[in-house]
Amino acid sequence: LSPVCLGSLRRAASINAEYMGANMSSLDMLSSIMAAVAHDVGHDGVTNEFHVNVWSTLAQRYNNVAPLENHHAALSIQLLSEDDNNWLKSFEITDRFYIRSLFLRLILATQSQQHHVHLGNVKDVVGRLALEKDKELLMFDESNWNNEKSYVLEAGIHLADLSNPAKPLSIATYLAARLRLPRHTGD
């Protein structure tokens, strides 16, 4: 990551720590945790690029648009919809739709090709908040509150998904070596 990118992400992390609790509902937190848990469900160990290049079933099903992330999202919802797993049905319908929508949006946000979109969104939020540094408690812009909140959550899950190089060297190399193990590479 470039120094500019790292600086923006560090500022986003400090904003996250300070402001997220004041701006996030329990439904936001629940959706975020569930998306973090489910974001790689059913991963086959190869990349989106691989799927597109070999015309895999996943790539065809999702029209070459983020086949893995779309698969993770669809499989997560399918598993969650099974009677024994469907804890969402205990929520009111509006909360259920909100949780599901944010949950899916966050899983789809882990697509690596969205990196610069996340970075730009976070820079915009950080820049606006920096202009308001005199305020006692900085809040998301009320007129754009849900978008800004989603931008920060999307960037957070994306960053967590890419965080292996930031782990202690022994853990990072172990996990990277596991990715190089031979795997089934076709349909």
Side-chain angles (χ1 to χ4, degrees):
L1 294 175
S2 72
V4 171
C5 180
L6 284 173
S8 293
L9 292 173
R10 283 189 188 110
R11 284 190 297 280
S14 69
I15 285 174
N16 185 13
E18 189 173 345
Y19 308 112
M20 294 303 268
N23 288 280
M24 298 297 153
S25 70
S26 57
L27 297 180
D28 296 326
M29 301 287 188
L30 176 63
S31 301
S32 299
I33 291 167
M34 291 309 300
V37 169
H39 82 278
D40 271 343
V41 68
H43 202 297
D44 61 2
V46 297
T47 65
N48 281 330
E49 183 179 22
F50 176 87
H51 279 285
V52 170
N53 288 338
V54 301
W55 291 40
S56 73
T57 302
L58 282 182
Q60 292 175 45
R61 180 177 300 136
Y62 299 111
N63 300 311
N64 293 341
V65 177
L68 287 169
E69 290 75 19
N70 276 295
H71 174 65
H72 304 320
L75 182 57
S76 296
I77 290 299
Q78 177 187 346
L79 293 170
L80 188 56
S81 297
E82 294 175 3
D83 284 338
D84 291 342
N85 303 332
N86 193 349
W87 50 266
L88 274 176
K89 63 185 171 189
S90 65
F91 287 89
E92 295 292 326
I93 191 83
T94 54
D95 290 344
R96 193 178 322 159
F97 281 119
Y98 181 81
I99 293 167
R100 184 179 186 277
S101 175
L102 182 57
F103 172 76
L104 292 173
R105 185 172 175 170
L106 293 177
I107 290 174
L108 294 174
T110 62
Q111 180 190 12
S112 61
Q113 287 76 11
Q114 294 296 312
H115 179 76
H116 292 290
V117 172
H118 297 312
L119 182 59
N121 289 339
V122 168
K123 281 182 177 180
D124 289 345
V125 173
V126 169
R128 189 191 56 74
L129 291 175
L131 293 174
E132 298 178 8
K133 64 184 171 189
D134 297 335
K135 290 188 177 177
E136 196 170 304
L137 176 64
L138 300 177
M139 302 294 276
F140 290 110
D141 178 6
E142 287 185 29
S143 65
N144 199 22
W145 187 68
N146 279 330
N147 283 334
E148 287 191 351
K149 180 172 55 169
S150 294
Y151 295 159
V152 174
L153 290 173
E154 288 172 9
I157 195 166
H158 175 70
L159 182 58
D161 193 36
L162 299 176
S163 68
N164 189 51
K167 290 180 172 74
L169 184 60
S170 61
I171 294 170
T173 51
Y174 169 77
L175 293 173
R178 292 211 34 161
L179 290 175
R180 291 193 314 257
L181 293 175
R183 295 176 182 263
H184 172 71
T185 58
D187 287 40

